[in-house]
Amino acid sequence: MASVALVVMACAAACACLAGGIAPAHLRALWTGSLTAVSAGAGGVAAAMVLAGGDPVVADFAALFPLGGVRVEFDALSALFTFGTSLVVVPAAVYGIGYSKAGPSSRPAQIAWPLLVWSVLMVPAAGNAIALIAFWELMALSSAAVVLSEHHHNAEARRAAQWYMAMTHLSLLAITLAMFVLAHETGGESFAAMRSGAHHVGPAAGSTVFLLALVGFGAKAGVVPMHVWLPRAHPEAPSHASALMSGAMVKLGVYGLVRVCWDLLDGGPMWWGAVVLAVGLVSAMFGILHALMASDMKRLLAYSTTENVGLIFVGVGAAGMFAASGNRVLAAVALAAALLHVINHGAFKGLLFLGAGSVSAATGTRDLDRLGGLARRMPVTAATFAIGGLALASLPPLNGFVSEWLLLQSLVHSLPSNAASIAVAMPVAVSIVALTGGLAAAAFVKAFGSAFLAMPRSVEAGAARESSGTMRAGMLALAAACVALALLPTMLARPLERAIRPVSGIADGSPISADGVYIHLSGIEAALSPLTIAIGLMVGAGGMLAVVRRSRSRATVRDVPPWGCGRTVHSARMEYTATSFAEPLQRVFDDVLHPEIDLVVDHRTESRHYVESISYRAETRDGIEARVYLPLLAAARRWGDAARRVQNGSIHRYLACSLVVTVVVMLVSR
Amino acid sequence: MHGSLQVRQVDAGSCNGCEAEFAAAFGPVYDVERFGVRLVASPRHADALVVTGPVTRNMAVPLLKTWEATPGPKLVIALGDCARDCGVFAGGHGVHGSVADVVPVDVEVPGCPPTPGAIVAALRKVAGT
């Protein structure tokens, strides 16, 4: 039955592309959006069937592609990622109907969107190297087209797409090389053949595959130092596409890494896990620090994605280390926590991107320093953004808390360990994960507080209106998904166990069990009941509200304006801005962030004691971008300039070059 | 307010003479805090407002806002001759009026400026100590 759903998914996606091409302009967004939602819904149904214990779907399309054809293998691990994608995409596609009407409704944008959705849904279903590379490239190209959808009036989108294309092709190159090495060493090109031939792979070849996969999949996942495309491409893409890219597409990097290194290769030495863990920790810390400094709403969310993917990598890396040290039970718990965070992060980050899109559509700006006061003007957006933000801050009772709790439990319970590297790494990991949790809360307070509370800081923010019905429906659906995932993660216990089972390098028994209300971790004396926490919080909050009501009803209540030291004018210029909120943390992390601060004070010509104007500008540049990528680009440009001396338009020189090359090739391949 | 009076001082346009004497009342010599009178930084925390000076045009609205921001029950103490009836500044172009023209006054302390002793006596009377 799952195969039928997959066929429906492909057909609906094809119809959506067709609709994007031929539908009249005023119906285009509606038709494409609804068909895309149907396609993603069908993918979700297929995934749910496999996760609920159905048989994996395996199909061969030998004639579809040269060199081995396309093979589809849709097992529980694939299904978990497809399910997470579908969870984000169905609301995002509905939201896109309303969002596109005002913005990106051009034909190419509307054709690329369902194509992107379908390829993201299908990448986990790839069952051989060719299929993986083909779907991967389709995903890269269609997402680049989506990022470009507003390029007519937005030069920044063109630059973002260039960065994105370069990074995503670096990713493709590394993945292709990894697949070549793997296929060569195992003697088979399908995943099944690779799995059965994994024991032929020597340690050197295995580690080469691991490093190539880490670069390739890490670039897509947006971990440091390959994160540079995220804060550029996410803000410029249409918001429903950012939701998909950030909520689902980057997770395929995690999928690929787990699939290739711990499933196909059957795990590896301890240092594989340690490297993934270190990359995850650096990404988490780096991402959240830059998220704190960002004043562009979507840029903030993009950096927070780097942070969350980092946390997922921490889980995967810890799982790899535990598995290598022989503690398979704990490894399974860590991997389950990572995979649960994949689903949870998809739901809440998708929601936040939809909310940011709703704000930018209503006000025309994403700059937090120019927003404010939107809670009263856009109540649905504000309420759903708050839910997403609480999840982002990993506060109970929301879903981000559940997966981070599981992750911390698995890290904490690694001790006492017989392996020295684990004994050193895990306490560091626990402290960094805890620190990122606290900083994430600060980032959320900054984003929500400066966008939605207090007074509007610009005319546009003051004139904002709540977004259209389909956009609100999309946000409400994802908010409901966040709450459901938060209250009933127990429902995901069995599916997670099934998803981990194919990962032969780690899988062992059932990592998580659930008895309806409580989540139990195997091998750890710990249980969590999010439902009980939520009920407790609700009872506590309700009780407090009742007490406040009672005491208010007795006293005479007088409404007075806020005390402003007797000022006669209240203006938004007196408010705390997003930049000023982040300033203390910018000082604390001065040595890491190296912010560029320009403070210019103009005095009056008559006397230096009177100030004419003060201008302050603080910019936090991405250190890795400035120190690694810009020199690389400059070197490439110099090389190009040098090459131009050879390519000077002289036909004789070109002919001579061809002759030399032909001779060399003949000599070498003699 | 018996034995505990929280006071917020408002300069509504004073020449600072009353402020100097008022500060002296809280200084080590007179030390009115012995009698349960404290200076607070916000009208939100205050039981009584001590207003000095004639109310200038610029300070009329802020004074009213300060009074509105003070939680009830509250007292207004007009300190000095200017606060009572504009003193030597009566009829000045920037003068709006006396304190009583803007907010209801409960206690008046005469003097230009009143001596710290007079201020302490007035505050002790209000605080009942």
Side-chain angles (χ1 to χ4, degrees), chain A residues 542-561:
Chain A
M544 245 151 78
L545 205 67
V547 169
V548 170
R549 279 266 167 81
R550 247 181 97 92
S551 60
R552 269 181 80 111
S553 66
R554 276 201 217 126
T556 47
V557 177
R558 191 164 62 101
D559 279 323
V560 289

Side-chain angles (χ1 to χ4, degrees), chain A residues 558 560-563 565-570, chain B residues 42-44 61-62 65-66 68-71:
Chain A
R558 191 164 62 101
V560 289
W563 172 238
C565 295
R567 279 195 204 96
T568 47
V569 185
H570 267 292
Chain B
S42 164
R44 289 271 197 251
V61 174
K65 286 192 159 207
T66 311
E68 280 168 355
T70 313

Side-chain angles (χ1 to χ4, degrees), chain A residues 182-514:
Chain A
L182 197 56
H184 178 258
E185 294 290 320
T186 55
E189 182 266 343
S190 74
F191 284 178
M194 288 177 180
R195 222 171 266 135
S196 59
H199 56 276
H200 296 305
V201 182
S207 296
T208 311
V209 172
F210 164 72
L211 288 175
L212 284 168
L214 184 65
V215 171
F217 293 116
K220 187 54 107 182
V223 290
V224 174
M226 281 93 77
H227 66 285
V228 280
W229 64 271
L230 276 170
R232 288 167 184 274
H234 283 342
E236 301 310 331
S239 285
H240 54 291
S242 321
L244 164 67
M245 287 168 75
S246 183
M249 194 180 79
V250 297
K251 309 300 165 36
L252 296 182
V254 178
Y255 165 78
L257 195 67
V258 172
R259 175 68 90 192
V260 170
C261 300
W262 278 279
D263 175 22
L264 301 184
L265 277 176
D266 202 14
M270 177 78 88
W271 68 267
W272 288 15
V275 169
V276 174
L277 182 83
V279 167
L281 290 175
V282 172
S283 303
M285 205 56 218
F286 185 91
I288 197 61
L289 279 180
H290 277 273
L292 265 173
M293 294 307 129
S295 62
D296 180 322
M297 212 166 173
K298 284 173 86 176
R299 198 175 154 86
L300 184 151
L301 294 177
Y303 271 122
S304 144
T305 298
T306 292
E307 178 232 336
N308 278 283
V309 171
L311 291 180
I312 295 168
F313 266 53
V314 168
V316 173
M321 289 180 84
F322 296 150
S325 77
N327 193 346
R328 294 252 167 152
V329 179
L330 203 54
V333 174
L335 188 63
L339 294 184
L340 185 61
H341 201 60
V342 165
I343 304 277
N344 284 338
H345 176 248
F348 70 71
K349 191 50 69 64
L351 172 60
L352 289 170
F353 266 112
L354 297 189
S358 171
V359 167
S360 78
T363 61
T365 180
R366 303 184 305 254
D367 188 353
L368 286 170
D369 291 342
R370 294 178 50 75
L371 294 170
L374 296 178
R376 206 169 291 169
R377 292 165 182 83
M378 309 174 74
V380 177
T381 306
T384 50
F385 194 91
I387 291 176
L390 287 173
L392 174 99
S394 58
L395 290 176
L398 278 150
N399 56 351
F401 166 71
V402 179
S403 37
E404 284 205 24
W405 181 83
L406 285 178
L407 183 62
L408 280 170
Q409 284 291 347
S410 69
L411 297 180
V412 166
H413 283 89
S414 64
L415 300 172
S417 162
N418 46 5
S421 51
I422 289 184
V424 173
M426 292 309 150
V428 176
V430 167
S431 53
I432 290 185
V433 170
L435 179 58
T436 54
L439 292 175
F444 158 67
V445 169
K446 168 179 145 173
F448 186 80
S450 42
F452 291 100
L453 302 182
M455 281 192 287
R457 295 184 184 83
S458 64
V459 182
E460 295 82 11
R465 301 270 300 277
E466 183 59 276
S467 42
S468 64
T470 46
M471 287 166 76
R472 272 178 300 179
M475 290 185 286
L476 285 170
L478 269 177
C482 281
V483 173
L485 282 169
L487 297 185
L488 299 166
T490 46
M491 281 171 56
L492 280 176
R494 295 281 296 160
L496 272 175
E497 184 204 326
R498 287 196 190 95
I500 288 170
R501 212 178 293 149
V503 189
S504 49
I506 288 170
D508 186 56
S510 57
I512 298 177
S513 55

Side-chain angles (χ1 to χ4, degrees), chain A residues 24-39:
Chain A
H26 63 287
L27 290 175
R28 203 181 285 148
L30 178 65
W31 288 13
T32 321
S34 10
L35 282 166
T36 310
V38 169
S39 170

